[in-house]
Amino acid sequence: MKNAVGREIPEKIAGLENIKLYQGEFAYQPEGNCRGKKIRVGKPGADKVLASIDEAIEKTGLKDGQTISFHHHLRNGDYLLKMVMEKIAAKGIKDITVASSSLSPCHDFLVDYIEDGTVTALETSGLRGALGKYLTKNPGKLKKPVIIRSHGGRARAIEAGELKIDVAFMGAPTCDHLGNATGKQGKSAFGSMGYAMIDAACADQVVMITDNLIDGFVYPYSIPQTQVDYVVAVEEIGDPEGIASGAIRLTKSPTQLLMAEYAAEVMEKTGYLKQGFSMQLGSGGASLAAAKFIREKMEAKDIKGSFGIGGATGIFTEMLKDDLFEVCYDAQTFDTTAIESIKENPRHLEVSASFYANPWNASPIVNALDVVILSATEVDVDFNVNVITDSNGTLMGASGGHSDTAAGAKLSIIVVPLIRGRLPMIRDHVQNVVTPGESIDVIITDRGIAINPKRQDLIAKLKDSKLPIKTIQELQEMAYEFVGKPEEIPVSQEDKDIIAVVEYRDGTIIDLIRKPLI
Amino acid sequence: MIDPKTKLRRTMMFVPGNNPKMINSADTYGADSLMFDIEDSIAVTEKDTARLLVAEALKSIKFKSETVVRINHPTQTPFGMDDLKVILPAKPDLIRLPKLECIEELNLVTAEIERVEKENGWEEGTIRIIAAIESVKGLYNVREMCKHPRMVAIALGAEDFIANIKTNRTKTGIELYFARSEILMAARDAEIQCLDTVFSDVKDMAGFEHEVSNSRDMGFDGKSVIHPKQITEVHRLYTPTDIQIKKALKVLDAYEDAQKNHKGVLAVDGKMIDGPIVVRAQRVVDQAIAAGVNVEEKREQA
């Protein structure tokens, strides 16, 4: 069966139920109700604080075949997933599904637990490093393909009951004895706990693990005590160096800056850079650097924006501080400057992944976006975008909020160099589709800008500009002139070689990642 | 065809000839000319690599900007003439000669260019020369050398020059004042272009603006640049302001009207207009058009 981006999807995939094909951005109409949390009774005088992670695992009654979840706010500095998995493995518990909101290179150790059968399934936004390479080469090691979800798609799957979490283990930079937790204080502070909020609200049991258990009360809290079953204190939940970078600086790369300038120019010339506009910038070099040029234009024309969405960085929170924007909605805080901002600035709001991007609530904030600027690992002539696999078909990225913001925003811009190394970045068909071309309006490269033909309005507005407007085919030709056309990467067509399923944000299947035959 | 002697050369960007990534992306930043260097930025052990790489790049990449190759000195180094043998068949628009000191050097290089032009059946004058004055000896011979028929532009190479006169670069530029003036006069006398030396502190954009404004006001046609971010700045400084453009348009319109209607003395905004003012106004409008300004729109607003 072919889906709406032309990908062949088999009727049955081992380990997956209820396969639905991607039919278009808002084509699928769900029915039914959200899933409720398991009922529990909190008793007067009960003490939630346990002595160890071991004790917490025992209290939750975690057993073979269950699903546990983690958030990725500790990013590449995360110690927690490893601490918990070591205890689970030592107890001989097998067949665990790990549903982390994302996975970083620090989670490469999962390979060992997959090998010994402790972990048999992964559901995540992304995965990279040695784990990505291992799963790409060994599709049969898990009992079902990895499920790749966008940030909004994960919140949706949890709230709709498609991803049922038995126990959520959560790293909390500060927590009190009742379980109220925040990410804004403590030595491991990472800012917003947006991705943990959905797990806390929906998981059957929640274990808060903190390296700053305080005697008083946490206020304001990110996660309320009403959702927390147990609290465990440990020495360290993560390595501050890996959790948040120091202030993220603007790229110095002239190519990235050129694309960033083009992006700001496109926003201005298409009329989206206007009073009260809203935006989100991806965390790539060029998308983030667009802030510099957007800021210059806003100051020159005395434009005030309405809101920005984070992945918050200092580059944006400085604009917030300087009143260039009214509000920042933040589900994930990237650098130390932004962490300071969410602590100090009342207009910097912590929001859940569902508030951010869940397509199945009344109004995720992405739906109100005017402009989003995003990176890509590659794009194709149909404007489809890949951010999950590299040019050899190896898992190395994350779906993140890419398809969520692209579907929501009125103007979705991709910035990608025309050539990386010796490879053209505009393919006939991307290796894997994460965001469908129908969501993408403009692709900006260092050598020219292509506008999706479905946006004739944008083509008309930009035709007399000084910007280097080309067709996507012209850009592809230009890239071929430099580096030639690369050979396609052959992939196995056997069902047993399906490495991962890429869900669109509504849970339909937009693509399968198959084992590359190289 | 664009006259190589009057072509717009506000910016000439230096690109190290041994860096494929920089060569590949060189013409995405909008410089009027690209100068691929196989001289000072290339170590002695890398000369052959750089020269082959630049030649291959010229043959296989369609650069939008004018292409220039700075070769090693033809007589003072053992590399210069070998550079020409590899580079000329790749047909750059210009050869840039460093440390030019006497007319014989120009004649030597020109003979080689002519030989290659004939060999390939190219029109004579296909490949022109821009040279840099980097010594007192060169400065003393600059008038004669500027008049050489292959020459389209002369430049100042400050670093070697100030070493030669035993001083340092200063913020005021006093140490280069004489050399800049002398080279500029020689260029104007010979009716070729004149480009200013590089400004090497890429972080100091205020200092850069100051230097570019000064050399522009002296009369230089453009600036050698070493970083893409300097390009936008030079182009901005070399684009006439709205006020200048509108005033120039008024002058030209009044002049045209006077010509048509056989008026004698003419005045714009109470000021008398004579020949040189008309010439200057035409230059402002030409610069604006070259910089991509919509002059007709300005005329309507004027």
Side-chain angles (χ1 to χ4, degrees):
Chain A
M1 306 180 289
K2 270 203 172 132
N3 69 12
V5 288
R7 300 287 158 141
E8 193 64 49
I9 313 290
E11 279 175 38
K12 285 189 177 155
I13 299 171
L16 264 65
E17 291 162 14
N18 192 16
I19 289 175
K20 301 176 298 251
L21 297 194
Y22 169 73
Q23 301 287 3
E25 278 176 316
F26 294 98
Y28 181 69
Q29 282 302 322
E31 285 173 4
N33 288 60
C34 287
R35 176 181 186 267
K37 196 176 169 78
K38 188 171 150 185
I39 295 169
R40 86 283 303 279
V41 178
K43 298 271 173 62
D47 185 5
K48 287 181 183 177
V49 180
L50 305 179
S52 65
I53 292 174
D54 247 332
E55 195 186 347
I57 295 168
E58 281 160 22
K59 286 269 191 190
T60 60
L62 184 74
K63 56 179 194 284
D64 292 2
Q66 290 197 319
T67 297
I68 60 175
S69 84
F70 300 88
H71 63 66
H72 72 288
H73 290 294
L74 293 159
R75 289 172 278 264
N76 200 31
D78 180 27
Y79 291 161
L80 197 81
L81 212 161
K82 190 167 192 203
M83 291 194 296
V84 173
M85 287 314 303
E86 277 171 353
K87 300 298 178 195
I88 290 173
K91 288 182 183 306
I93 302 171
K94 300 284 183 192
D95 191 16
I96 291 293
T97 295
V98 172
S100 181
S101 52
S102 199
L103 294 167
S104 295
C106 67
H107 301 121
D108 283 349
F109 68 89
L110 281 171
V111 170
D112 298 335
Y113 295 122
I114 293 169
E115 278 291 320
D116 74 9
T118 308
V119 174
T120 54
L122 292 177
E123 306 193 13
T124 176
S125 162
L127 70 172
R128 22 177 89 81
L131 180 63
K133 288 198 182 96
Y134 167 82
L135 289 168
T136 305
K137 286 203 177 107
N138 304 288
K141 293 283 183 180
L142 294 170
K143 68 180 176 189
K144 63 175 188 180
V146 177
I147 298 177
I148 303 291
R149 291 194 181 95
S150 72
H151 289 328
R154 180 177 189 270
R156 175 203 60 77
I158 295 171
E159 290 188 343
E162 285 177 23
L163 169 54
K164 181 179 164 297
I165 300 164
D166 295 297
V167 184
F169 293 95
M170 271 172 206
T174 294
C175 186
D176 64 27
H177 287 248
L178 295 170
N180 298 296
T182 179
K184 298 173 193 173
Q185 297 158 31
K187 63 179 176 183
S188 306
F190 51 64
S192 171
M193 285 189 88
Y195 291 104
M197 288 174 173
I198 305 304
D199 300 43
C202 298
D204 278 349
Q205 299 189 76
V206 174
V207 180
M208 202 59 81
I209 301 172
T210 184
D211 52 6
N212 188 31
L213 178 63
I214 61 168
D215 287 331
F217 299 91
V218 167
Y219 54 88
Y221 51 75
S222 309
I223 309 273
Q225 61 189 47
T226 53
Q227 296 174 344
V228 179
D229 297 279
Y230 305 107
V231 175
V232 178
V234 295
E235 265 314 292
E236 288 173 310
I237 58 170
D239 170 13
E241 291 283 305
I243 296 171
S245 51
I248 295 175
R249 287 179 203 287
L250 280 183
T251 175
K252 289 207 172 99
S253 153
T255 310
Q256 302 280 348
L257 287 168
L258 182 72
M259 293 191 288
E261 195 172 358
Y262 284 159
E265 216 32 50
V266 165
M267 282 171 66
E268 185 179 34
K269 294 285 173 337
T270 52
Y272 284 98
L273 192 79
K274 59 174 195 290
Q275 288 298 343
F277 82 105
S278 60
M279 70 168 187
Q280 180 170 357
L281 304 179
S283 54
S287 34
L288 210 52
K292 169 180 151 50
F293 302 102
I294 293 168
R295 183 179 187 127
E296 283 171 9
K297 289 181 190 299
M298 290 175 79
E299 285 173 344
K301 293 191 165 176
D302 202 17
I303 289 173
K304 296 259 185 292
S306 56
F307 70 86
I309 308 181
T313 60
I315 291 166
F316 183 78
T317 59
E318 289 300 299
M319 293 171 87
L320 181 72
K321 193 168 92 181
D322 296 343
D323 283 337
L324 289 167
F325 284 90
E326 190 181 342
V327 188
C328 172
Y329 293 107
D330 184 8
Q332 178 176 204
T333 321
F334 279 120
D335 67 2
T336 46
T337 317
I339 293 170
E340 275 307 304
S341 164
I342 199 171
K343 261 161 74 172
E344 306 296 335
N345 190 338
R347 294 182 289 116
H348 185 158
L349 304 177
E350 181 177 22
V351 300
S352 75
S354 187
F355 185 106
Y356 169 37
N358 177 356
W360 289 358
N361 69 36
S363 51
I365 192 69
V366 291
N367 284 359
L369 263 182
D370 287 316
V371 182
V372 65
I373 304 177
L374 297 160
S375 313
T377 56
E378 55 178 13
V379 297
D380 67 24
V381 291
D382 298 318
F383 289 75
N384 295 314
V385 182
N386 180 12
V387 285
I388 189 75
T389 47
D390 68 10
S391 54
N392 288 321
T394 303
L395 287 164
M396 51 65 73
S399 169
H402 205 285
S403 62
D404 299 312
T405 50
K410 295 186 185 77
L411 176 68
S412 302
I413 298 174
I414 299 290
V415 279
V416 63
L418 189 65
I419 296 158
R420 278 199 184 100
R422 56 186 178 77
L423 294 171
M425 289 296 116
I426 301 176
R427 310 265 313 265
D428 289 338
H429 303 285
V430 283
Q431 190 73 22
N432 294 105
V433 184
V434 170
T435 298
E438 67 171 317
S439 298
I440 303 301
D441 302 305
V442 179
I443 291 175
I444 293 178
T445 76
D446 46 339
R447 290 181 185 273
I449 299 170
I451 303 164
N452 193 327
K454 81 183 168 76
R455 294 298 303 267
Q456 288 299 321
D457 59 323
L458 300 181
I459 293 173
K461 278 178 184 161
L462 292 174
K463 85 176 149 46
D464 294 325
S465 75
K466 282 184 207 157
L467 289 163
I469 307 292
K470 318 264 181 206
T471 66
I472 191 87
Q473 287 79 9
E474 283 169 344
L475 286 181
Q476 190 187 42
E477 267 311 308
M478 213 186 280
Y480 286 171
E481 269 181 35
F482 278 89
V483 289
K485 184 177 179 175
E487 285 175 22
E488 296 291 320
I489 304 292
V491 294
S492 167
Q493 293 303 320
E494 292 189 48
D495 290 352
K496 70 174 177 58
D497 285 337
I498 297 172
I499 304 162
V501 170
V502 184
E503 275 190 6
Y504 188 59
R505 55 201 299 257
D506 62 3
T508 60
I509 297 179
I510 193 161
D511 205 355
L512 299 175
I513 302 177
R514 294 168 180 276
K515 184 183 177 180
L517 298 173
I518 48 169
Chain B
M1 196 185 133
I2 299 164
D3 181 354
K5 284 193 179 178
T6 55
K7 182 201 169 298
L8 193 67
R9 282 191 195 92
R10 296 163 298 179
T11 44
M12 184 171 286
M13 184 165 78
F14 283 32
V15 182
N18 62 346
N19 188 321
K21 199 176 169 188
M22 287 189 187
I23 293 173
N24 261 341
S25 63
D27 76 342
T28 54
Y29 307 111
D32 293 327
S33 309
L34 298 173
M35 193 208 75
F36 301 106
D37 184 31
I38 52 182
E39 196 221 4
D40 275 359
S41 66
I42 307 298
V44 170
T45 50
E46 293 273 315
K47 295 289 184 197
D48 51 351
T49 321
R51 135 198 328 149
L52 289 167
L53 189 64
V54 169
E56 287 308 313
L58 289 172
K59 284 185 224 166
S60 47
I61 301 174
K62 287 180 204 151
F63 291 104
K64 289 175 287 186
S65 312
E66 176 181 64
T67 56
V68 186
V69 180
R70 180 165 79 171
I71 62 161
N72 292 280
H73 197 279
T75 59
Q76 294 170 16
T77 75
F79 312 112
M81 295 311 285
D82 287 344
D83 290 341
L84 285 175
K85 287 196 175 64
V86 177
I87 294 297
L88 290 174
K91 209 178 178 184
D93 296 315
L94 304 181
I95 289 291
R96 176 159 168 151
L97 295 181
K99 300 185 189 74
L100 186 69
E101 295 197 318
C102 60
I103 195 87
E104 288 74 22
E105 294 164 8
L106 269 177
N107 290 336
L108 179 71
V109 171
T110 300
E112 184 62 17
I113 294 176
E114 271 172 18
R115 192 185 64 75
V116 175
E117 283 174 346
K118 279 199 186 105
E119 208 171 271
N120 289 280
W122 300 336
E123 194 184 325
E124 187 178 331
T126 299
I127 300 173
R128 303 289 188 119
I129 296 174
I130 169 175
I133 298 300
E134 304 182 45
S135 66
V136 175
K137 188 176 174 195
L139 190 66
Y140 280 0
N141 290 326
V142 71
R143 297 181 199 185
E144 182 193 13
M145 298 189 295
C146 280
K147 289 180 177 160
H148 191 284
R150 283 271 163 176
M151 289 278 282
V152 293
I154 188 86
L156 173 65
E159 296 306 325
D160 281 282
F161 187 81
I162 58 166
N164 192 209
I165 62 170
K166 299 187 183 345
T167 182
N168 300 303
R169 288 291 289 270
T170 68
K171 295 256 178 215
T172 62
I174 182 88
E175 71 285 0
L176 293 175
Y177 185 71
F178 176 73
R180 279 186 171 127
S181 309
E182 179 71 15
I183 290 169
L184 184 68
M185 299 311 141
R188 291 293 171 255
D189 185 36
E191 295 182 346
I192 65 170
Q193 290 184 347
C194 191
L195 304 184
D196 194 26
T197 186
V198 297
F199 185 85
S200 37
D201 185 355
V202 292
K203 285 187 192 142
D204 180 10
M205 291 309 282
F208 182 70
E209 179 179 349
H210 178 76
E211 185 166 289
V212 176
S213 305
N214 277 350
S215 62
R216 177 202 59 198
D217 292 347
M218 281 183 85
F220 279 80
D221 297 285
K223 181 88 177 158
S224 297
V225 296
I226 53 168
H227 192 281
K229 72 177 177 185
Q230 293 181 332
I231 296 171
T232 333
E233 191 63 5
V234 176
H235 288 186
R236 182 179 70 79
L237 292 166
Y238 269 86
T239 304
T241 62
D242 272 10
I243 295 171
Q244 288 171 325
I245 297 168
K246 285 173 191 168
K247 193 176 163 200
L249 288 167
K250 265 192 189 175
V251 169
L252 293 180
D253 288 349
Y255 179 71
E256 200 183 310
D257 178 58
Q259 293 287 87
K260 258 190 219 157
N261 300 311
H262 307 289
K263 288 182 188 167
V265 177
L266 68 130
V268 169
D269 296 338
K271 282 182 191 164
M272 201 186 79
I273 302 301
D274 56 9
I277 292 177
V278 175
V279 172
R280 279 213 301 277
Q282 187 61 52
R283 190 171 134 83
V284 167
V285 172
D286 287 348
Q287 275 180 341
I289 292 169
V293 175
N294 186 341
V295 170
E296 283 316 306
E297 193 182 285
K298 303 286 172 212
R299 195 190 299 272
E300 282 162 26
Q301 292 165 4

